[in-house]
Amino acid sequence: MKATNRNYRASFILDNRGKEETVEQMIEGVKKVIAEVHGEVSAVENVGRKDFIRVTDKKFTSANYVQINFSGPADAPANLREKLRLNSSVYRTFIQSA
């Protein structure tokens, strides 16, 4: 029996300080991780660079925001967060059911 896939909308704040990688390369990296947790990307929206409302680091006041819609099993969001926790390119991850 195949588990039903659910739809999710994930927002990522990317940290490219001191990195050679472009934002597009970082997005591709995140999409690969989504595929690793059996997710299927349906839409990617690069929202662009935005200033933070609350600055926690004076040297890091803005970043690139990306929204990715994907479908996957019920455990995909938890697995995705766990895999991205160690990824220095992803500063924050927010995942909600779509």
Side-chain angles (χ1 to χ4, degrees):
M1 189 174 117
K2 188 178 184 304
T4 58
N5 278 355
R6 299 179 183 173
N7 292 324
Y8 301 100
R9 181 177 181 92
S11 299
F12 302 97
I13 300 176
L14 303 179
D15 181 359
N16 61 352
R17 293 177 293 174
K19 293 191 175 70
E20 297 288 316
E21 262 184 312
T22 65
V23 171
E24 281 70 32
Q25 288 170 317
M26 289 178 171
I27 293 170
E28 286 304 312
V30 170
K31 284 167 62 177
K32 280 189 187 122
V33 176
I34 290 172
E36 286 171 20
V37 298
H38 308 290
E40 199 171 301
V41 174
S42 56
V44 177
E45 183 187 357
N46 186 346
V47 182
R49 195 163 192 87
K50 291 188 173 187
D51 291 332
F52 294 142
I53 293 169
R54 287 185 297 168
V55 176
T56 55
D57 180 346
K58 286 187 174 82
K59 294 187 182 96
F60 191 45
T61 58
S62 65
N64 284 294
Y65 284 68
V66 177
Q67 292 185 324
I68 298 178
N69 293 348
F70 70 97
S71 60
D75 62 354
N79 292 340
L80 182 60
R81 272 193 205 95
E82 187 58 34
K83 283 185 174 282
L84 291 176
R85 193 170 57 85
L86 302 173
N87 184 334
S88 64
S89 298
V90 179
Y91 183 67
R92 289 274 189 274
T93 303
F94 306 98
I95 302 173
Q96 61 195 41
S97 293

